[in-house]
Amino acid sequence: ALLVKVILKSRQLATHHAINGSEGLILAGALRPDLIILDVMMPGMDGYEVCSRLREVSDVPILMLTVKNQSIDVSRGFAAGADHVIKKPFRNAELLSRIDHLLMRNRQANPQGAQELVAMA
Protein backbone atom coordinates (compact mmCIF):
# COMPACT_ATOMS: atom_id res chain seq x y z
CA ALA A 1 0.00 0.00 0.00
CA LEU A 2 2.81 2.42 0.83
CA LEU A 3 4.55 1.81 -2.50
CA VAL A 4 1.33 2.49 -4.41
CA LYS A 5 0.84 5.74 -2.46
CA VAL A 6 4.37 6.89 -3.35
CA ILE A 7 3.92 5.98 -7.02
CA LEU A 8 0.58 7.82 -7.25
CA LYS A 9 1.95 10.85 -5.42
CA SER A 10 4.71 11.10 -8.05
CA ARG A 11 1.99 11.64 -10.67
CA GLN A 12 0.23 14.31 -8.59
CA LEU A 13 -3.16 12.67 -9.02
CA ALA A 14 -5.96 13.36 -6.56
CA THR A 15 -5.87 10.11 -4.62
CA HIS A 16 -8.02 8.88 -1.74
CA HIS A 17 -7.11 5.78 0.27
CA ALA A 18 -9.34 3.25 2.00
CA ILE A 19 -7.97 0.72 4.47
CA ASN A 20 -10.55 -1.97 3.77
CA GLY A 21 -13.22 -2.93 1.28
CA SER A 22 -16.20 -1.55 3.20
CA GLU A 23 -14.55 1.85 3.54
CA GLY A 24 -13.55 1.72 -0.11
CA LEU A 25 -17.10 1.04 -1.29
CA ILE A 26 -18.37 4.03 0.68
CA LEU A 27 -15.56 6.24 -0.64
CA ALA A 28 -16.09 5.10 -4.22
CA GLY A 29 -19.83 5.80 -3.97
CA ALA A 30 -19.27 9.27 -2.55
CA LEU A 31 -16.44 10.35 -4.86
CA ARG A 32 -17.31 8.54 -8.10
CA PRO A 33 -13.59 8.30 -9.01
CA ASP A 34 -12.09 7.90 -12.46
CA LEU A 35 -10.11 4.81 -11.44
CA ILE A 36 -10.00 2.36 -8.56
CA ILE A 37 -6.85 0.49 -7.60
CA LEU A 38 -7.89 -2.53 -5.61
CA ASP A 39 -5.74 -5.00 -3.68
CA VAL A 40 -7.08 -8.55 -3.59
CA MET A 41 -5.96 -9.21 -0.02
CA MET A 42 -7.67 -6.77 2.34
CA PRO A 43 -9.07 -7.14 5.84
CA GLY A 44 -12.70 -8.17 5.96
CA MET A 45 -14.02 -8.19 2.42
CA ASP A 46 -11.47 -9.32 -0.18
CA GLY A 47 -10.83 -7.48 -3.43
CA TYR A 48 -12.83 -9.93 -5.52
CA GLU A 49 -15.97 -9.23 -3.47
CA VAL A 50 -15.37 -5.46 -3.56
CA CYS A 51 -14.89 -5.58 -7.32
CA SER A 52 -18.10 -7.56 -7.81
CA ARG A 53 -20.06 -5.11 -5.67
CA LEU A 54 -18.61 -2.13 -7.52
CA ARG A 55 -19.63 -3.68 -10.83
CA GLU A 56 -23.24 -3.86 -9.65
CA VAL A 57 -23.39 -0.04 -9.54
CA SER A 58 -20.51 1.34 -11.62
CA ASP A 59 -18.42 0.86 -14.73
CA VAL A 60 -15.43 2.74 -13.24
CA PRO A 61 -12.11 1.25 -14.41
CA ILE A 62 -10.69 -1.13 -11.79
CA LEU A 63 -7.03 -2.09 -11.61
CA MET A 64 -6.53 -5.05 -9.30
CA LEU A 65 -3.24 -5.90 -7.56
CA THR A 66 -2.50 -9.39 -6.26
CA VAL A 67 0.31 -11.33 -4.61
CA LYS A 68 -1.41 -14.51 -5.72
CA ASN A 69 0.43 -15.77 -8.76
CA GLN A 70 -1.76 -18.59 -10.03
CA SER A 71 -3.48 -17.97 -13.34
CA ILE A 72 -6.79 -18.88 -11.67
CA ASP A 73 -6.35 -15.88 -9.34
CA VAL A 74 -5.89 -13.52 -12.27
CA SER A 75 -8.87 -15.08 -14.04
CA ARG A 76 -10.93 -14.66 -10.88
CA GLY A 77 -10.08 -10.93 -10.87
CA PHE A 78 -11.31 -10.55 -14.44
CA ALA A 79 -14.42 -12.59 -13.65
CA ALA A 80 -15.17 -10.24 -10.75
CA GLY A 81 -15.06 -7.32 -13.18
CA ALA A 82 -11.51 -5.96 -13.04
CA ASP A 83 -10.27 -4.18 -16.15
CA HIS A 84 -6.72 -5.27 -15.48
CA VAL A 85 -4.87 -7.43 -12.94
CA ILE A 86 -1.22 -6.89 -12.01
CA LYS A 87 0.73 -9.49 -10.07
CA LYS A 88 3.00 -8.35 -7.25
CA PRO A 89 5.83 -7.63 -7.25
CA PHE A 90 5.42 -5.27 -10.16
CA ARG A 91 7.58 -2.58 -11.71
CA ASN A 92 6.60 1.03 -11.09
CA ALA A 93 6.57 1.66 -14.83
CA GLU A 94 4.09 -1.19 -15.38
CA LEU A 95 1.70 0.20 -12.76
CA LEU A 96 1.94 3.73 -14.13
CA SER A 97 1.43 2.50 -17.68
CA ARG A 98 -1.74 0.63 -16.71
CA ILE A 99 -3.02 3.64 -14.73
CA ASP A 100 -2.39 5.95 -17.69
CA HIS A 101 -4.13 3.56 -20.08
CA LEU A 102 -7.22 3.16 -17.91
CA LEU A 103 -7.44 6.90 -17.18
CA MET A 104 -7.12 7.70 -20.89
CA ARG A 105 -9.87 5.23 -21.73
CA ASN A 106 -12.08 6.69 -19.00
CA ARG A 107 -11.33 10.26 -20.13
CA GLN A 108 -12.57 9.41 -23.62
CA ALA A 109 -15.85 8.21 -22.13
CA ASN A 110 -16.09 11.09 -19.61
CA PRO A 111 -14.08 14.06 -20.93
CA GLN A 112 -15.34 16.68 -18.46
CA GLY A 113 -14.33 14.85 -15.27
CA ALA A 114 -11.33 15.62 -13.09
CA GLN A 115 -9.03 12.69 -12.52
CA GLU A 116 -9.50 11.16 -9.09
CA LEU A 117 -8.42 7.76 -7.87
CA VAL A 118 -9.42 5.57 -4.95
CA ALA A 119 -6.81 3.09 -3.78
CA MET A 120 -7.90 0.27 -1.49
CA ALA A 121 -5.22 -1.75 0.23
Side-chain angles (χ1 to χ4, degrees), residues 5-7 25 28 34-36 43 58 61-62 64-66 71-73 75 78 82 84 100 102 114 119:
K5 287 179 188 179
V6 170
I7 292 169
L25 287 171
D34 299 293
L35 173 67
I36 293 177
S58 175
I62 298 173
M64 191 172 277
L65 307 175
T66 183
S71 56
I72 189 72
D73 299 308
S75 296
F78 286 120
H84 195 75
D100 289 344
L102 290 171

PDB file of all heavy atoms in Angstrom, residues 5-7 25 28 34-36 43 58 61-62 64-66 71-73 75 78 82 84 100 102 114 119:
ATOM      1  N   LYS A   5       1.028   4.337  -2.831  1.00  0.00           N
ATOM      2  CA  LYS A   5       0.841   5.744  -2.458  1.00  0.00           C
ATOM      3  C   LYS A   5       1.976   6.609  -3.008  1.00  0.00           C
ATOM      4  O   LYS A   5       1.740   7.681  -3.549  1.00  0.00           O
ATOM      5  CB  LYS A   5       0.786   5.904  -0.940  1.00  0.00           C
ATOM      6  CG  LYS A   5      -0.477   5.408  -0.322  1.00  0.00           C
ATOM      7  CD  LYS A   5      -0.431   5.596   1.194  1.00  0.00           C
ATOM      8  CE  LYS A   5      -1.605   4.945   1.871  1.00  0.00           C
ATOM      9  NZ  LYS A   5      -1.565   5.105   3.334  1.00  0.00           N
ATOM     10  N   VAL A   6       3.201   6.136  -2.871  1.00  0.00           N
ATOM     11  CA  VAL A   6       4.365   6.891  -3.350  1.00  0.00           C
ATOM     12  C   VAL A   6       4.315   7.032  -4.868  1.00  0.00           C
ATOM     13  O   VAL A   6       4.552   8.114  -5.418  1.00  0.00           O
ATOM     14  CB  VAL A   6       5.680   6.206  -2.907  1.00  0.00           C
ATOM     15  CG1 VAL A   6       6.888   6.825  -3.584  1.00  0.00           C
ATOM     16  CG2 VAL A   6       5.821   6.281  -1.386  1.00  0.00           C
ATOM     17  N   ILE A   7       3.990   5.954  -5.554  1.00  0.00           N
ATOM     18  CA  ILE A   7       3.918   5.984  -7.019  1.00  0.00           C
ATOM     19  C   ILE A   7       2.838   6.963  -7.487  1.00  0.00           C
ATOM     20  O   ILE A   7       3.057   7.772  -8.385  1.00  0.00           O
ATOM     21  CB  ILE A   7       3.660   4.569  -7.584  1.00  0.00           C
ATOM     22  CG1 ILE A   7       4.878   3.680  -7.337  1.00  0.00           C
ATOM     23  CG2 ILE A   7       3.330   4.629  -9.069  1.00  0.00           C
ATOM     24  CD1 ILE A   7       4.634   2.212  -7.609  1.00  0.00           C
ATOM     25  N   LEU A  25     -15.807   0.966  -0.609  1.00  0.00           N
ATOM     26  CA  LEU A  25     -17.096   1.043  -1.288  1.00  0.00           C
ATOM     27  C   LEU A  25     -17.809   2.352  -0.968  1.00  0.00           C
ATOM     28  O   LEU A  25     -18.378   2.988  -1.859  1.00  0.00           O
ATOM     29  CB  LEU A  25     -17.978  -0.149  -0.894  1.00  0.00           C
ATOM     30  CG  LEU A  25     -17.577  -1.495  -1.490  1.00  0.00           C
ATOM     31  CD1 LEU A  25     -18.384  -2.620  -0.848  1.00  0.00           C
ATOM     32  CD2 LEU A  25     -17.739  -1.499  -2.999  1.00  0.00           C
ATOM     33  N   ALA A  28     -15.852   5.141  -2.772  1.00  0.00           N
ATOM     34  CA  ALA A  28     -16.093   5.096  -4.217  1.00  0.00           C
ATOM     35  C   ALA A  28     -17.488   5.629  -4.556  1.00  0.00           C
ATOM     36  O   ALA A  28     -17.664   6.345  -5.545  1.00  0.00           O
ATOM     37  CB  ALA A  28     -15.933   3.666  -4.733  1.00  0.00           C
ATOM     38  N   ASP A  34     -12.373   8.262 -11.069  1.00  0.00           N
ATOM     39  CA  ASP A  34     -12.090   7.902 -12.456  1.00  0.00           C
ATOM     40  C   ASP A  34     -11.383   6.555 -12.573  1.00  0.00           C
ATOM     41  O   ASP A  34     -11.323   5.979 -13.657  1.00  0.00           O
ATOM     42  CB  ASP A  34     -11.212   8.978 -13.106  1.00  0.00           C
ATOM     43  CG  ASP A  34     -11.927  10.310 -13.116  1.00  0.00           C
ATOM     44  OD1 ASP A  34     -12.939  10.415 -13.821  1.00  0.00           O
ATOM     45  OD2 ASP A  34     -11.493  11.227 -12.396  1.00  0.00           O
ATOM     46  N   LEU A  35     -10.837   6.082 -11.453  1.00  0.00           N
ATOM     47  CA  LEU A  35     -10.108   4.812 -11.439  1.00  0.00           C
ATOM     48  C   LEU A  35     -10.064   4.305 -10.013  1.00  0.00           C
ATOM     49  O   LEU A  35      -9.920   5.095  -9.074  1.00  0.00           O
ATOM     50  CB  LEU A  35      -8.680   5.007 -11.965  1.00  0.00           C
ATOM     51  CG  LEU A  35      -7.729   3.823 -11.876  1.00  0.00           C
ATOM     52  CD1 LEU A  35      -8.171   2.693 -12.805  1.00  0.00           C
ATOM     53  CD2 LEU A  35      -6.310   4.247 -12.223  1.00  0.00           C
ATOM     54  N   ILE A  36     -10.166   2.992  -9.866  1.00  0.00           N
ATOM     55  CA  ILE A  36     -10.003   2.356  -8.557  1.00  0.00           C
ATOM     56  C   ILE A  36      -8.867   1.355  -8.659  1.00  0.00           C
ATOM     57  O   ILE A  36      -8.833   0.534  -9.577  1.00  0.00           O
ATOM     58  CB  ILE A  36     -11.300   1.659  -8.101  1.00  0.00           C
ATOM     59  CG1 ILE A  36     -12.373   2.723  -7.841  1.00  0.00           C
ATOM     60  CG2 ILE A  36     -11.055   0.799  -6.861  1.00  0.00           C
ATOM     61  CD1 ILE A  36     -13.722   2.185  -7.465  1.00  0.00           C
ATOM     62  N   PRO A  43      -8.332  -6.648   4.660  1.00  0.00           N
ATOM     63  CA  PRO A  43      -9.066  -7.140   5.837  1.00  0.00           C
ATOM     64  C   PRO A  43     -10.569  -7.118   5.591  1.00  0.00           C
ATOM     65  O   PRO A  43     -11.086  -6.248   4.890  1.00  0.00           O
ATOM     66  CB  PRO A  43      -8.674  -6.151   6.945  1.00  0.00           C
ATOM     67  CG  PRO A  43      -8.050  -4.981   6.277  1.00  0.00           C
ATOM     68  CD  PRO A  43      -7.609  -5.416   4.914  1.00  0.00           C
ATOM     69  N   SER A  58     -21.417   0.419 -10.931  1.00  0.00           N
ATOM     70  CA  SER A  58     -20.514   1.335 -11.620  1.00  0.00           C
ATOM     71  C   SER A  58     -19.709   0.620 -12.700  1.00  0.00           C
ATOM     72  O   SER A  58     -19.418  -0.573 -12.587  1.00  0.00           O
ATOM     73  CB  SER A  58     -19.550   1.952 -10.595  1.00  0.00           C
ATOM     74  OG  SER A  58     -18.591   2.758 -11.237  1.00  0.00           O
ATOM     75  N   PRO A  61     -13.226   2.164 -14.188  1.00  0.00           N
ATOM     76  CA  PRO A  61     -12.110   1.247 -14.411  1.00  0.00           C
ATOM     77  C   PRO A  61     -11.521   0.768 -13.083  1.00  0.00           C
ATOM     78  O   PRO A  61     -11.334   1.556 -12.150  1.00  0.00           O
ATOM     79  CB  PRO A  61     -11.088   2.095 -15.171  1.00  0.00           C
ATOM     80  CG  PRO A  61     -11.891   3.175 -15.804  1.00  0.00           C
ATOM     81  CD  PRO A  61     -13.007   3.454 -14.836  1.00  0.00           C
ATOM     82  N   ILE A  62     -11.257  -0.532 -12.999  1.00  0.00           N
ATOM     83  CA  ILE A  62     -10.691  -1.134 -11.790  1.00  0.00           C
ATOM     84  C   ILE A  62      -9.401  -1.851 -12.159  1.00  0.00           C
ATOM     85  O   ILE A  62      -9.384  -2.721 -13.025  1.00  0.00           O
ATOM     86  CB  ILE A  62     -11.665  -2.120 -11.141  1.00  0.00           C
ATOM     87  CG1 ILE A  62     -12.946  -1.391 -10.712  1.00  0.00           C
ATOM     88  CG2 ILE A  62     -11.014  -2.826  -9.950  1.00  0.00           C
ATOM     89  CD1 ILE A  62     -14.047  -2.307 -10.210  1.00  0.00           C
ATOM     90  N   MET A  64      -6.668  -4.185 -10.465  1.00  0.00           N
ATOM     91  CA  MET A  64      -6.526  -5.054  -9.304  1.00  0.00           C
ATOM     92  C   MET A  64      -5.067  -5.477  -9.146  1.00  0.00           C
ATOM     93  O   MET A  64      -4.392  -5.778 -10.133  1.00  0.00           O
ATOM     94  CB  MET A  64      -7.432  -6.278  -9.470  1.00  0.00           C
ATOM     95  CG  MET A  64      -7.577  -7.123  -8.235  1.00  0.00           C
ATOM     96  SD  MET A  64      -8.853  -8.404  -8.450  1.00  0.00           S
ATOM     97  CE  MET A  64     -10.311  -7.455  -8.091  1.00  0.00           C
ATOM     98  N   LEU A  65      -4.596  -5.466  -7.898  1.00  0.00           N
ATOM     99  CA  LEU A  65      -3.240  -5.902  -7.562  1.00  0.00           C
ATOM    100  C   LEU A  65      -3.337  -7.176  -6.738  1.00  0.00           C
ATOM    101  O   LEU A  65      -4.186  -7.280  -5.851  1.00  0.00           O
ATOM    102  CB  LEU A  65      -2.522  -4.826  -6.746  1.00  0.00           C
ATOM    103  CG  LEU A  65      -2.490  -3.424  -7.331  1.00  0.00           C
ATOM    104  CD1 LEU A  65      -1.851  -2.450  -6.336  1.00  0.00           C
ATOM    105  CD2 LEU A  65      -1.746  -3.413  -8.648  1.00  0.00           C
ATOM    106  N   THR A  66      -2.456  -8.137  -7.009  1.00  0.00           N
ATOM    107  CA  THR A  66      -2.502  -9.385  -6.256  1.00  0.00           C
ATOM    108  C   THR A  66      -1.114  -9.987  -6.050  1.00  0.00           C
ATOM    109  O   THR A  66      -0.270  -9.904  -6.939  1.00  0.00           O
ATOM    110  CB  THR A  66      -3.414 -10.421  -6.938  1.00  0.00           C
ATOM    111  OG1 THR A  66      -3.475 -11.601  -6.129  1.00  0.00           O
ATOM    112  CG2 THR A  66      -2.939 -10.777  -8.325  1.00  0.00           C
ATOM    113  N   SER A  71      -2.664 -18.544 -12.271  1.00  0.00           N
ATOM    114  CA  SER A  71      -3.477 -17.972 -13.342  1.00  0.00           C
ATOM    115  C   SER A  71      -4.957 -17.952 -12.961  1.00  0.00           C
ATOM    116  O   SER A  71      -5.706 -17.075 -13.403  1.00  0.00           O
ATOM    117  CB  SER A  71      -3.263 -18.722 -14.653  1.00  0.00           C
ATOM    118  OG  SER A  71      -3.537 -20.089 -14.495  1.00  0.00           O
ATOM    119  N   ILE A  72      -5.395 -18.875 -12.113  1.00  0.00           N
ATOM    120  CA  ILE A  72      -6.794 -18.885 -11.672  1.00  0.00           C
ATOM    121  C   ILE A  72      -7.119 -17.621 -10.867  1.00  0.00           C
ATOM    122  O   ILE A  72      -8.232 -17.098 -10.931  1.00  0.00           O
ATOM    123  CB  ILE A  72      -7.134 -20.162 -10.852  1.00  0.00           C
ATOM    124  CG1 ILE A  72      -8.647 -20.253 -10.583  1.00  0.00           C
ATOM    125  CG2 ILE A  72      -6.369 -20.216  -9.554  1.00  0.00           C
ATOM    126  CD1 ILE A  72      -9.460 -20.588 -11.781  1.00  0.00           C
ATOM    127  N   ASP A  73      -6.137 -17.095 -10.123  1.00  0.00           N
ATOM    128  CA  ASP A  73      -6.353 -15.881  -9.338  1.00  0.00           C
ATOM    129  C   ASP A  73      -6.530 -14.669 -10.243  1.00  0.00           C
ATOM    130  O   ASP A  73      -7.376 -13.811  -9.985  1.00  0.00           O
ATOM    131  CB  ASP A  73      -5.195 -15.660  -8.362  1.00  0.00           C
ATOM    132  CG  ASP A  73      -5.065 -16.806  -7.374  1.00  0.00           C
ATOM    133  OD1 ASP A  73      -6.080 -17.147  -6.727  1.00  0.00           O
ATOM    134  OD2 ASP A  73      -3.965 -17.366  -7.261  1.00  0.00           O
ATOM    135  N   SER A  75      -7.585 -14.850 -13.387  1.00  0.00           N
ATOM    136  CA  SER A  75      -8.873 -15.081 -14.043  1.00  0.00           C
ATOM    137  C   SER A  75     -10.030 -14.706 -13.128  1.00  0.00           C
ATOM    138  O   SER A  75     -11.029 -14.139 -13.581  1.00  0.00           O
ATOM    139  CB  SER A  75      -9.016 -16.552 -14.443  1.00  0.00           C
ATOM    140  OG  SER A  75      -8.042 -16.890 -15.394  1.00  0.00           O
ATOM    141  N   PHE A  78     -10.569 -10.956 -13.239  1.00  0.00           N
ATOM    142  CA  PHE A  78     -11.308 -10.545 -14.439  1.00  0.00           C
ATOM    143  C   PHE A  78     -12.777 -10.958 -14.335  1.00  0.00           C
ATOM    144  O   PHE A  78     -13.666 -10.200 -14.731  1.00  0.00           O
ATOM    145  CB  PHE A  78     -10.672 -11.118 -15.699  1.00  0.00           C
ATOM    146  CG  PHE A  78      -9.388 -10.438 -16.080  1.00  0.00           C
ATOM    147  CD1 PHE A  78      -8.199 -11.151 -16.155  1.00  0.00           C
ATOM    148  CD2 PHE A  78      -9.347  -9.079 -16.346  1.00  0.00           C
ATOM    149  CE1 PHE A  78      -7.018 -10.533 -16.510  1.00  0.00           C
ATOM    150  CE2 PHE A  78      -8.173  -8.448 -16.705  1.00  0.00           C
ATOM    151  CZ  PHE A  78      -6.998  -9.180 -16.780  1.00  0.00           C
ATOM    152  N   ALA A  82     -12.692  -6.819 -12.917  1.00  0.00           N
ATOM    153  CA  ALA A  82     -11.508  -5.961 -13.040  1.00  0.00           C
ATOM    154  C   ALA A  82     -11.185  -5.716 -14.507  1.00  0.00           C
ATOM    155  O   ALA A  82     -11.364  -6.601 -15.351  1.00  0.00           O
ATOM    156  CB  ALA A  82     -10.310  -6.597 -12.348  1.00  0.00           C
ATOM    157  N   HIS A  84      -8.062  -4.745 -15.349  1.00  0.00           N
ATOM    158  CA  HIS A  84      -6.715  -5.267 -15.476  1.00  0.00           C
ATOM    159  C   HIS A  84      -6.261  -5.800 -14.122  1.00  0.00           C
ATOM    160  O   HIS A  84      -6.671  -5.289 -13.084  1.00  0.00           O
ATOM    161  CB  HIS A  84      -5.737  -4.208 -15.978  1.00  0.00           C
ATOM    162  CG  HIS A  84      -4.450  -4.812 -16.437  1.00  0.00           C
ATOM    163  ND1 HIS A  84      -4.335  -5.485 -17.628  1.00  0.00           N
ATOM    164  CD2 HIS A  84      -3.255  -4.909 -15.833  1.00  0.00           C
ATOM    165  CE1 HIS A  84      -3.099  -5.938 -17.756  1.00  0.00           C
ATOM    166  NE2 HIS A  84      -2.433  -5.614 -16.675  1.00  0.00           N
ATOM    167  N   ASP A 100      -2.238   4.999 -16.581  1.00  0.00           N
ATOM    168  CA  ASP A 100      -2.387   5.950 -17.692  1.00  0.00           C
ATOM    169  C   ASP A 100      -3.374   5.428 -18.733  1.00  0.00           C
ATOM    170  O   ASP A 100      -4.221   6.168 -19.231  1.00  0.00           O
ATOM    171  CB  ASP A 100      -1.039   6.230 -18.350  1.00  0.00           C
ATOM    172  CG  ASP A 100      -0.118   7.057 -17.479  1.00  0.00           C
ATOM    173  OD1 ASP A 100      -0.584   7.681 -16.509  1.00  0.00           O
ATOM    174  OD2 ASP A 100       1.096   7.073 -17.783  1.00  0.00           O
ATOM    175  N   LEU A 102      -5.844   3.193 -18.393  1.00  0.00           N
ATOM    176  CA  LEU A 102      -7.225   3.164 -17.905  1.00  0.00           C
ATOM    177  C   LEU A 102      -7.797   4.568 -17.750  1.00  0.00           C
ATOM    178  O   LEU A 102      -8.973   4.802 -18.031  1.00  0.00           O
ATOM    179  CB  LEU A 102      -7.306   2.388 -16.592  1.00  0.00           C
ATOM    180  CG  LEU A 102      -7.075   0.875 -16.733  1.00  0.00           C
ATOM    181  CD1 LEU A 102      -6.959   0.220 -15.363  1.00  0.00           C
ATOM    182  CD2 LEU A 102      -8.173   0.232 -17.559  1.00  0.00           C
ATOM    183  N   ALA A 114     -12.683  15.506 -13.637  1.00  0.00           N
ATOM    184  CA  ALA A 114     -11.325  15.618 -13.090  1.00  0.00           C
ATOM    185  C   ALA A 114     -10.843  14.218 -12.791  1.00  0.00           C
ATOM    186  O   ALA A 114     -11.651  13.292 -12.603  1.00  0.00           O
ATOM    187  CB  ALA A 114     -11.348  16.454 -11.812  1.00  0.00           C
ATOM    188  N   ALA A 119      -7.658   4.259  -3.955  1.00  0.00           N
ATOM    189  CA  ALA A 119      -6.807   3.088  -3.777  1.00  0.00           C
ATOM    190  C   ALA A 119      -7.251   2.363  -2.515  1.00  0.00           C
ATOM    191  O   ALA A 119      -7.383   2.968  -1.458  1.00  0.00           O
ATOM    192  CB  ALA A 119      -5.343   3.498  -3.661  1.00  0.00           C
TER     193      ALA A 119
END
